[in-house]
Amino acid sequence: MKNVLINKIVEIVVTENQLRSFWKKHGEDLEFETLSNEQLMKLAMREIQEASLTELDSHLIDRGWRTRDEIEGKMIAEDNSNPRYHVELIDTDQKGNPSKILIDRMLELHCEDCGFELYIQDSDIDPSSLKCPKDGGKLTITGTNAKKINKN
Ligand SMILES: [Zn+2]
């Protein structure tokens, strides 16, 4: 089987208005205004996780609903805790540049002697030409083509 995996960076936006109505729908007692930056990002993640496919469409850039100017502004908080997501809180009333996200392809190596793990960006390199930076031990490949989402 030749299954094709496409790693695409999808930009999902949850606008403040969408957050407000999601918050209201869940009938929380707290005022929306009292939510911290971290709580806003968690709320957005929850909204996306609970969204149906059609609801998700209203969050995707380049699908007719959300426009690029809704993510232009100053990033005032971010959450990197999940390696598969990069979450940013953007204040569109402040000036700033939209962030660029890239996918890096990397090779994961580990030292047979001390277990030290490292990543290198040249995924074509022969690991026997390298030594463990810690103790000079022999390196072997553990994961091929580890991908890392990188923010510029
Ligand atoms: Zn080592």
Side-chain angles (χ1 to χ4, degrees), residues 111-116 132-137:
C111 173
E112 288 180 7
D113 297 330
C114 71
F116 185 76
C132 171
K134 240 175 129 184
D135 61 1

